[in-house]
Amino acid sequence: MDFHPTEEQTAAAGLAARIFRDLSTHERLTAAGTGTDTELWKALSTAGLVAASLDIGLLGLVLLLEEQGRTTAQVPLAATCVYGIRPVAAHGTEEQRARLLPALAEGSAVATGAFPARSRVTPDAGRLTGVLPAVPWLRDATHVLVPDDRRALWLVRTDAPGVQTAAVETTAPWAAGRLTLSGAEAEPLGAPDEGAAYEAVLAAARTAFAGLQAGVCAGSLARAVAHTSTREQFGRPLSTHQGVMLRAADAHMDTEAIRVTAYEAAWRIDEGLTAAEQALTAAWWAAEAGTRVVHAGQHLHGGTGADLDHPVHRHFLWGRQLDAYLGCGAELLAELGAVLAKEQA
């Protein structure tokens, strides 16, 4: 394994960090409410970072998402890349790639996905029927990647006949929505019976969102360190108290565990190696440890952390939403156990 980023990955991550730091401020996030920061999305697209997600690999995308998570920037970067650009490039036809990739790369089209397949969607002569209760970034999406009940992949336009969307408020401001398909027009992506395509997309998505969680946790911890280093109690900074130091140290180790497992899964996927269990491991750490870290970040702020308008509370909401989206720890462990048992058998 080699987690050292390439020159291109380092440059892309550095550029993303500057853009997120400059534009994803607390004031702008407050003004955006639950919607996408369209100016920030345009800046990322203009800088070529959305299009670069193919050139820098999944590990490079994880680095970009870490930077997004540090500032909880409200843009559909993860969804567009793992449910749009990467699947179309890997599993789409030549015509689909020529038609869809330019718009996705320049940010004029936004993709999302109904993953993992928890709701039953049935196909009938190229039309889909089913209800998907909470799809992230659906309110901004032009295309949705939908797996049917046999895990074949379909690409649905949100303005197609038979498609209805309704806003849904989740813990984090992800512009989520309820997707109702009533004989909706759809186009297949990949072979109709290619279950491998579903598994590949799911593994990449779990890895990418784990990388996003690593950034959310790092941002929460950085705020807690800054707060406890300047806030005094009994005449000395809170950070000098042993209980505070131990809680912060545990949060740091959890954050590093999320990061390194996401890096491993991304590296294996980029190398063309099997990565189902590594992606599940990264998702489990992101869900379980991520929850602990954002709770610690809020707790270390004391009464300030209970203020819903404080920036650290946004990290708490994002961390809990990523936990819910990736799946609870017990569910992920059960799936991981099944994968390991199947391999040993």
Side-chain angles (χ1 to χ4, degrees):
M1 292 181 291
D2 183 5
F3 298 161
H4 291 93
T6 64
E7 184 178 339
E8 291 78 10
Q9 291 170 339
T10 301
L15 177 58
R18 289 195 296 273
I19 293 174
F20 286 130
R21 184 173 58 249
D22 292 344
L23 295 183
S24 187
T25 62
H26 176 59
E27 293 73 23
R28 286 174 59 89
L29 288 168
T30 301
T34 61
T36 295
D37 188 331
T38 54
E39 183 180 340
L40 175 55
W41 181 240
K42 182 178 180 180
L44 292 172
S45 303
T46 302
L49 291 174
V50 181
S53 61
L54 278 180
D55 299 325
I56 61 179
L58 185 57
L59 181 55
L61 176 60
V62 166
L63 295 175
L64 299 186
L65 293 173
E66 274 194 81
E67 300 302 333
Q68 179 187 355
R70 291 179 195 275
T71 59
T72 60
Q74 290 175 203
V75 287
L77 179 60
T80 292
C81 291
V82 297
Y83 297 134
I85 293 176
R86 289 179 59 88
V88 170
H91 307 290
T93 64
E94 185 176 344
E95 185 276 332
Q96 286 174 323
R97 290 194 294 269
R99 170 167 50 90
L100 297 170
L101 285 179
L104 289 168
E106 69 183 15
S108 58
V110 173
T112 188
F115 281 73
R118 293 192 174 102
S119 301
R120 189 166 186 267
V121 175
T122 55
D124 182 16
R127 294 178 178 273
L128 301 182
T129 299
V131 178
L132 303 160
V135 180
W137 304 109
L138 180 63
R139 281 178 269 168
D140 298 318
T142 56
H143 298 79
V144 186
L145 189 63
V146 179
D148 65 21
D149 55 357
R150 291 179 294 182
R151 296 192 171 181
L153 300 183
W154 299 84
L155 206 56
V156 179
R157 288 191 59 92
T158 53
D159 60 356
V163 176
Q164 292 182 323
T165 63
V168 171
E169 297 302 332
T170 58
T171 304
W174 283 7
R178 178 186 178 91
L179 180 65
T180 303
L181 305 173
S182 305
E185 293 181 1
E187 58 179 309
L189 191 69
D193 58 348
E194 191 183 354
Y198 169 84
E199 297 297 339
V201 173
L202 180 57
R206 281 171 165 163
T207 303
F209 281 98
L212 183 60
Q213 181 76 302
V216 170
C217 291
S220 174
L221 185 57
R223 292 188 181 279
V225 168
H227 175 79
T228 56
S229 297
T230 56
R231 188 68 175 263
E232 292 190 355
Q233 186 181 59
F234 305 122
R236 58 189 179 125
L238 286 172
S239 59
T240 62
H241 294 273
Q242 187 178 46
V244 172
M245 288 191 287
L246 291 174
R247 191 78 189 276
D250 286 343
H252 171 73
M253 295 302 295
D254 275 338
T255 301
E256 289 302 300
I258 300 169
R259 178 181 289 116
V260 73
T261 53
Y263 284 6
E264 181 187 10
W267 176 83
R268 290 185 64 89
I269 290 172
D270 286 341
E271 293 295 312
L273 303 172
T274 58
E277 62 188 71
Q278 286 78 15
L280 275 165
T281 301
W284 181 82
W285 274 104
E288 286 284 298
T291 301
R292 289 196 297 267
V293 173
V294 296
H295 272 266
Q298 191 165 5
H299 187 202
L300 289 173
H301 278 75
T304 306
D307 183 358
L308 301 184
D309 296 324
H310 194 279
V312 76
H313 189 68
R314 188 175 289 109
H315 290 269
F316 174 78
L317 295 178
W318 273 68
R320 292 312 307 262
Q321 183 60 37
L322 281 162
D323 167 36
Y325 184 65
L326 289 166
C328 70
E331 178 185 6
L332 292 167
L333 278 182
E335 188 176 344
L336 178 57
V339 171
L340 295 174
K342 184 178 180 181
E343 288 181 356
Q344 298 219 352

